[in-house]
Amino acid sequence: MTRTRNHTTGTIAGGKGIGVAPGAKWAACRGCASSACWQSDLLACGDFFACPTRADGSSPDCSKAPNVVSNSWGGGRGNTWYNDVIEGWHAAKIIPLFSNGNSGPSCNTANSPADQNAKEFLLGQPIKPGVHWKDLRRNP
């Protein structure tokens, strides 16, 4: 797991006073290789979280789907190829979280899929209340 994924997992499910849901169970799916995030891998991970399976793809058990899926990836603007996964998660009562990106601070600088759908939660990093990191991306 990379530093970013360690950070986002700890922010969600940390312990000892850290995290918004300390002690929560978590699972991971490698949607991004060390140098790229391929659409096929991200789509496969999206399907996995909608209905988890064993590592070999056998024994699907949709009752083990998570309540929340955190996605710390994105790229480009106006890309709709992940929207079906997001809609599937909504149908399964899964809350999608997406990073907003780090190339702001102007409006319309969020990456897809964070720029696509008002039904997802978008996360950015404020420096302190009312002050945002200069590179935080934004939607209108």
Side-chain angles (χ1 to χ4, degrees):
M1 210 184 290
T2 66
R3 281 188 203 171
T4 297
R5 279 40 165 208
N6 284 336
H7 155 67
T8 56
T9 302
T11 299
I12 294 169
K16 299 181 182 179
I18 298 172
V20 295
K25 293 180 182 177
W26 65 273
C29 182
R30 183 171 223 153
C32 298
S34 61
S35 62
C37 300
W38 301 105
Q39 286 184 14
S40 58
D41 293 336
L42 293 168
L43 290 168
C45 286
D47 289 344
F48 168 78
F49 283 115
C51 192
T53 64
R54 294 180 184 261
D56 65 3
S58 66
S59 303
D61 186 350
C62 300
S63 71
K64 294 189 182 208
N67 294 316
V68 176
V69 177
S70 175
N71 297 269
S72 187
W73 61 270
R77 291 199 38 80
N79 296 317
T80 61
W81 61 268
Y82 207 71
N83 288 358
D84 287 342
V85 171
I86 295 168
E87 290 303 317
W89 287 345
H90 283 294
K93 306 289 190 241
I94 298 169
I95 298 169
L97 301 175
F98 286 94
S99 64
N100 230 14
N102 301 319
S103 296
S106 299
C107 291
N108 294 313
T109 54
N111 277 340
S112 295
D115 67 344
Q116 289 297 301
N117 194 330
K119 296 180 186 177
E120 60 211 30
F121 286 92
L122 310 177
L123 306 175
Q125 178 184 14
I127 296 172
K128 61 184 180 181
V131 178
H132 299 281
W133 184 38
K134 67 178 177 63
D135 291 337
L136 181 66
R137 293 182 182 197
R138 296 183 186 157
N139 268 346

